[in-house]
């Protein structure tokens, strides 16, 4: 590894200042579970590493108005164990609980997972279906951007080099709504998703409304399955509908063959995972 | 069988090096600091098959901090085999320390020694190589085609079976008249099975540190299973007589066969001789994956014929094996694929006294990573094919798979004729089975898993459940070849030093040898200070392989201890003025009818008082028997028919290893072997691109079973007594690896009615098999 400068700023302001001066050669370090791998093994050579782990204001989970607010430094472990997250965005808790291993979940953060923009990132499909937004802040000010719009390609986001993610939020759970995340990895731990599916929807008088479906690991970014959302919207769950939905989900994927699985298999998985979520909901909706 | 009560053998003695290991005090190869030590790095071929046209190292050599750069032009042009086996080595001598021809992606181009690892890395980048890229053999099934590129050149081929057809080694043996057996059989089942590249996944990578001691002798501190073979094999390569070389094996972080290889030592030693400095050469994990040794990929054709009563009439196994770019263990691993599997089933019941068995194996070269020894040594491949075939026959006959096996399994007193023909690269040695707890293994495992209820179970929904069985054997050492020697000496406080050539790799053999010696000497294993594997200080041992140490070296320890015991009793008889036969040696005391003396007093008497001498003895042991341990494995699995995921819920292993010298460690060996076998069965595989480059040389993408994946495993040790082993012991270390692939394949069949004939049974492969059945 080459020589680089390391600074641990003490405030968000100072961090933004340093990012502004750094002109691109700067990398923010949160848990380091992506960044250090990239530096040690993938030839990433930042001139300056900004360790933000000490910025406590960027940590935590709380209610803010009609949103659940999450500090970007919140770890997967804390997300998975938060009662607030489980109540309002179960899919996100499920996604966080499936990241890596206990060690990785204790270090890795939601901000890092979002900024790293892997198509396999386990919190991103849940965030997309929960209509989450991220707050991007620079010396010039801040704005909220939907997570979905942030993702531009594998490892590419709309996050500018001078910007810091300073918050993540998603709306409270509406009455009758629910969300779920299913990941398929090739083993029980330390397994990047071969494919994943997140679904959020509201049940209104036995029918689907506000359906959002996001797919992981089957396209260059996490993608919405809008076609399938349309099929489900306004309909009541039943075997035929599930069959119709799963039959069309693969068309929404642009998967590749890689060491984790073939394109064919990824499509099979997306169908199976979607069917699994819908079946499980179907049974519960029938039951009551 | 009622057995004598032992004080040390059969007890869960704590590992002698256990506390040092878990507190981080134990020293591995890398845990020394030598003044002026250099760091070596290897430049590796980016091409699967290429010739170096020109190599320019001037810039690299002139980089400050670089002390030596070696290419093929700088090393002696001597061919050797990296396989650590006794001479005459059964593996072809097809390897140069450095060569101008590259035979796989990752083959060695050049080596650099520099003051820091960073400088060494930088120097590698400055080496300019011009390659003539050659067409490569990347598919083992086409390696023998007439127009296939030749991996090894005909003039320099050395011990290679048929270099012009890329055949590294081949073997064929027949007993009886299999053709007639098949013709007369009521049912013949024949199928192809495939097994791929697998990594040994030892924690400590290959590493070696070499230096010159104060007298100028070459010292090689290395992570090896075969210190004495290292010393002998490197001597000509580094141009030094054996007497000028000392090989030290410190603590080892696992090896599993991949370190039964003389891989780094010659290169590292040449760098030391070139620079006069200590040199450290450690592989990265990626290098271990790509350039150390793997399990041999094989395509196996297995054919078994039976009559309608389920009596086997003939068995046949044809193996095509991929040895990769070099022929390390090419012949012997393939021999084992037959000799460790086929004899498990008798074929002589069908026509009284006549066996009908045929075995053939051909190991071919390809431009892919090099295979070698790995735990099981050919048997895991063979059992996948053979045991799955047996299961299929049972099914086709409508018999319970266990009942079918029970009709045909080997029995005490049997002497499989195949073993006389098929040894380790040479003719075998007649074996008569003296202990066999196989039926007891099956009986207890069957009860523990609840076989009869679970076979009858039928389930609804997309996730199906099934149970499968596999029945296995292995060997204990190589008959007539493996030799181990042990020296024991007594100290004034009643403690002993035990010096053994045997190589504890984390396997626990130091402790086992102490337990055996302690048993003979009526004391505790803790009273032994064990020093193993230093070619200057310990007697010879062929090394830690072929499941040999407990059985072979253990017997040497027993014999050496017997001699020491006699010296102690003779002297104590004089000291106590009693007759030898009236003395009892126990609890560190020699008790006479009236008085007793302690071991310490006996030693002091010997060292300082009368007829002074060191009470010590050395003994060697070799065996012409290689008694097989036996095992029955039972897997209870679910198969998710929508994703293809196979989950192992419960795994039962019943194993007959004779007397378990240390039951807890025998269980540990078994658990470890199952963990390896589960990965082999379900998730581990090398993935290559179309140019022979491995795409997943890291543990994130090469999936071994993690702690979270492990099923509940229950190990049942079935007690037998092997008369040729120390206190009745046989081996236990390799056999568990053989079971998971067939047991799980059979369980999958029970669950969903689909036969998987290629490992690993990844979810994708299982799903594809389910889909192709359904269409
Ligand atoms: C062994 C292993 C297993 C893994 N398994 C999984 C898995 O199963 N699923 C999964 O999704 N991921 C997995 N990961 C990836 C990783 O752990 C996650 O992406 C994690 O959430 C990254 O968070 P971090 O805090 O460690 O990020 P870091 O490595 O610190 O940062 C990652 C990137 O985000 C940027 N960044 C971080 N915080 C901010 C911020 N506040 N503002 C702007 N930019 C920021 C960094 O500059 C960097 O570019 C695994 C990683 C490892 C090493």
């Amino acid at each position: 590894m080459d020589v680089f400068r390391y600074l641990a700023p003490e405030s968000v302001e100072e961090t933004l200042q340093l990012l502004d001066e750094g002109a691109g050669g700067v990398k923010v370090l949160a848990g380091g579970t992506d960044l250090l791998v990239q530096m040690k093994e993938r030839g990433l050579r930042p001139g300056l590493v900004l360790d933000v782990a000490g910025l406590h204001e960027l940590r935590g989970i709380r209610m803010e108005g009609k949103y659940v607010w999450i500090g970007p430094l919140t770890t997967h472990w804390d997300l998975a164990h938060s009662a607030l997250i489980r109540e309002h965005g179960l899919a996100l808790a499920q996604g966080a609980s499936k990241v890596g291993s206990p060690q990785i979940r204790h270090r890795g953060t939601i901000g890092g997972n979002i900024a790293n923009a892997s198509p396999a990132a386990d919190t991103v499909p849940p965030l997309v279906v929960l209509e989450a937004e991220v707050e991007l802040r620079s010396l010039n000010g801040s704005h909220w951007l939907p997570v979905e719009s942030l993702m531009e390609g594998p490892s590419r986001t709309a996050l500018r080099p001078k910007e810091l993610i300073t918050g993540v939020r998603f709306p409270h759970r509406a009455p009758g709504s629910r969300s779920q995340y299913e990941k398929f990895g090739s083993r029980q731990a330390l397994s990047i998703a071969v494919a994943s599916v997140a679904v959020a929807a509201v049940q209104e008088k036995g029918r689907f409304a506000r359906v959002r479906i996001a797919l992981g690991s089957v396209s260059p970014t996490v993608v919405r399955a809008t076609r399938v959302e349309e099929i489900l919207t306004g309909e009541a769950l039943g075997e035929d509908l599930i069959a119709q939905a799963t039959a069309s989900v693969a068309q929404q994927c642009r998967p590749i063959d890689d060491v984790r699985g073939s394109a064919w298999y990824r499509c099979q998985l997306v169908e199976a995972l979607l069917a699994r979520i819908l079946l499980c909901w179907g049974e519960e909706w029938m039951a009551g | 069988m009622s057995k004598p009560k032992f004080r040390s053998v059969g007890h869960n003695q704590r590992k002698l090096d256990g506390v040092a290991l878990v507190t981080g005090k134990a020293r591995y190869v890398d845990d020394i600091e030598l003044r002026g030590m250099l760091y070596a790095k290897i430049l590796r071929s980016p091409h699967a098959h290429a010739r170096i046209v020109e190599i320019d190292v001037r810039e690299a050599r002139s980089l400050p901090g670089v002390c030596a750069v070696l290419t093929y032009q700088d090393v002696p042009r001597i061919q050797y085999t990296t396989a650590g086996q006794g001479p005459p080595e059964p593996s072809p001598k097809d390897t140069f320390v450095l060569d101008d021809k590259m035979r796989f992606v990752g083959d060695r181009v050049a080596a650099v020694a520099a003051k820091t690892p960073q400088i060494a890395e930088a120097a590698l980048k400055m080496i300019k190589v011009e390659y003539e890229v050659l067409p490569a053999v990347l598919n083992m099934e086409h390696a023998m085609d007439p127009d296939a590129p030749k991996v090894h050149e005909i003039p320099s081929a050395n011990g290679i079976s048929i270099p012009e057809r890329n055949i590294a080694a081949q073997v064929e043996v027949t007993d009886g008249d299999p053709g007639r057996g098949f013709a007369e059989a009521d049912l013949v089942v024949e199928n192809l099975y495939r097994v791929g590249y697998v990594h040994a996944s030892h924690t400590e990578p290959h590493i070696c540190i070499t230096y010159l001691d104060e007298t100028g002798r070459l010292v090689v501190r290395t992570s090896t299973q075969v210190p004495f073979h290292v010393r002998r094999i490197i001597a000509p390569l580094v141009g030094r007589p054996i007497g000028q070389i000392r090989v030290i094996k410190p603590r080892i972080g696992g090896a599993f066969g991949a370190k039964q290889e003389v891989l780094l030592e010659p290169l590292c030693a040449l760098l030391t001789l070139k620079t006069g400095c200590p040199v450290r050469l450690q592989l990265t994990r990626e290098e271990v994956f790509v350039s150390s040794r793997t399990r041999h990929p094989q395509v196996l054709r297995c054919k078994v014929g039976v009559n309608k009563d389920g009596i086997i009439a003939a068995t046949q196994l044809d193996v095509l094996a991929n040895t990769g770019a070099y022929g390390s263990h090419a012949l012997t691993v393939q021999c084992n694929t037959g000799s460790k599997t086929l004899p498990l089933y008798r074929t002589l019941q069908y026509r009284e006294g006549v066996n009908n068995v045929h075995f053939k194996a051909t190991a071919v070269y390809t431009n892919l990573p090099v295979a070698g020894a790995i735990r099981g040594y050919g048997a895991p491949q063979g059992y996948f094919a053979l045991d799955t075939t047996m299961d299929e026959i049972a099914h086709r006959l409508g018999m319970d798979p266990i009942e079918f096996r029970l009709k045909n399994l080997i029995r005490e007193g049997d002497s499989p004729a195949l073993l006389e023909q098929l040894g380790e690269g040479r003719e075998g040695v007649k074996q008569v089975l003296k202990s066999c707890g196989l039926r007891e293994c099956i009986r207890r495992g069957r009860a523990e898993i609840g076989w009869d209820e679970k076979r009858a179970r039928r389930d609804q929904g997309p996730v199906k459940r099934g149970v499968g069985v596999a029945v296995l054997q292995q060997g204990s050492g190589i008959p007539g070849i493996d030799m181990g020697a042990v020296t024991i000496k007594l100290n004034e406080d009643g403690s002993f030093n035990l010096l053994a050539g045997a190589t504890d790799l984390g396997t626990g053999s130091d402790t086992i040898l102490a337990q055996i010696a302690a048993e003979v000497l009526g004391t505790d294993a803790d009273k032994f200070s064990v020093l193993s594997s230093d070619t200057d200080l310990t007697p010879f041992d062929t090394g830690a392989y072929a499941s040999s140490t407990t059985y072979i070296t253990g017997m040497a320890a027993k014999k050496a201890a017997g001699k020491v015991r006699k010296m102690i009793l003779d002297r104590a008889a004089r000291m106590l003025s009693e007759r030898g036969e009236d003395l009892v040696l126990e609890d560190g005391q020699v008790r006479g009818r009236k008085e007793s003396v302690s071991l310490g007093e006996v030693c002091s008497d010997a060292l300082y008082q009368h007829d002074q001498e060191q009470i010590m003895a050395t003994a060697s042991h070799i065996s012409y028997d290689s008694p097989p341990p036996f095992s029955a494995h039972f897997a209870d699995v679910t198969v998710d028919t929508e994703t293809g995921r196979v989950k192992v819920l419960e795994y039962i292993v019943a194993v007959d290893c004779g007397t378990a010298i240390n039951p807890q460690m025998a269980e540990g060996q078994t658990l470890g072997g199952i963990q390896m076998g589960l990965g082999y069965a379900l998730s581990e595989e090398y993935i290559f691109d179309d140019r022979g480059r491995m795409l997943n040389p890291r543990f994130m993408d090469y999936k071994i079973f993690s702690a979270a994946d492990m099923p509940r495993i229950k190990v049942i040790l079935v007690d037998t007594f092997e008369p040729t082993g120390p206190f009745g012991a046989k081996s236990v270390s390799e056999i568990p690896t053989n079971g998971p692939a067939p047991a799980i394949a059979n369980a999958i069949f029970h669950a969903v009615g689909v036969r998987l004939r290629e490992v690993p049974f990844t979810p994708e492969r299982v799903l594809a098999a389910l889909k192709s059945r359904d269409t």
Side-chain angles (χ1 to χ4, degrees), chain A residues 81 88 95 105 124 146 181 189 195 219 229 245:
Chain A
H81 291 88
H88 290 280
R105 290 197 285 281
V124 174
Y181 178 67
S219 287
E229 294 172 2

Side-chain angles (χ1 to χ4, degrees), chain A residues 45-273:
Chain A
R45 301 269 178 276
L48 170 62
V49 170
L50 285 185
D51 185 347
V52 296
L55 305 183
H56 297 295
E57 62 266 49
L58 298 186
R59 213 174 277 273
I61 301 165
R62 58 177 178 266
M63 295 294 240
E64 266 194 6
K66 60 186 179 51
Y67 293 102
V68 176
W69 181 91
I70 304 165
L73 291 181
T74 307
T75 62
H76 297 298
W77 186 269
D78 288 343
L79 282 175
H81 291 88
S82 155
L84 211 53
I85 300 288
R86 300 193 77 82
E87 162 68 17
H88 290 280
L90 182 62
L92 180 59
Q94 290 169 329
S97 76
K98 295 276 163 57
V99 171
S101 59
Q103 295 91 324
I104 295 292
R105 290 197 285 281
H106 272 106
R107 277 212 75 81
T109 64
I110 185 167
N113 201 228
I114 294 171
N116 193 57
S118 160
D122 281 312
T123 65
V124 174
L127 287 169
V128 167
V129 299
L130 293 170
E131 300 179 54
E133 301 167 299
V134 285
E135 184 186 39
L136 306 179
R137 185 183 295 247
S138 71
L139 278 187
N140 301 332
S142 72
H143 62 285
W144 287 92
L145 189 72
V147 170
E148 194 182 345
S149 318
L150 190 73
M151 302 298 160
E152 295 186 335
S155 313
R156 272 205 344 267
T157 61
L159 178 72
R160 300 292 135 236
K162 295 178 182 201
E163 287 174 334
L164 185 67
I165 299 175
T166 47
V168 182
R169 68 180 186 190
F170 63 88
H172 290 179
R173 192 169 73 88
S177 78
R178 61 185 302 169
S179 68
Q180 190 167 334
Y181 178 67
E182 287 283 337
K183 165 185 184 173
F184 190 90
S186 51
R187 66 181 166 196
Q188 302 298 318
L190 289 168
S191 211
I192 305 293
V194 186
S196 62
V197 176
V199 183
V202 181
Q203 186 203 20
E204 281 175 3
K205 304 192 194 85
R207 292 181 181 274
F208 269 115
R210 289 178 50 198
V211 187
R212 289 171 68 94
I213 300 175
L215 313 175
S217 271
V218 288
S219 287
T221 62
V222 169
V223 287
R224 288 270 299 280
T226 44
R227 195 51 214 105
V228 186
E229 294 172 2
E230 284 162 20
I231 292 173
L232 294 174
T233 304
E235 302 292 330
L237 249 187
E239 262 179 42
D240 288 348
L241 186 67
I242 293 176
Q244 214 187 327
T246 52
S248 60
V249 68
Q251 293 157 22
Q252 307 250 274
C253 309
R254 283 190 292 133
I256 53 164
D257 293 329
D258 70 6
V259 295
R260 281 180 269 136
S262 69
W264 169 80
Y265 184 56
R266 290 194 149 98
C267 292
Q268 298 287 322
L269 280 180
V270 166
E271 290 176 11
L273 298 179

Side-chain angles (χ1 to χ4, degrees), chain B residues 706-744:
Chain B
S706 74
D709 296 296
M710 290 298 281
R712 187 182 94 87
I713 302 178
K714 174 150 182 162
V715 180
I716 301 167
L717 297 175
V718 168
D719 232 13
T720 63
F721 193 89
E722 169 56 39
T724 67
F727 298 104
K730 302 190 273 193
S731 86
V732 74
S733 56
E734 290 185 280
I735 185 169
T737 325
N738 300 342
I744 292 169

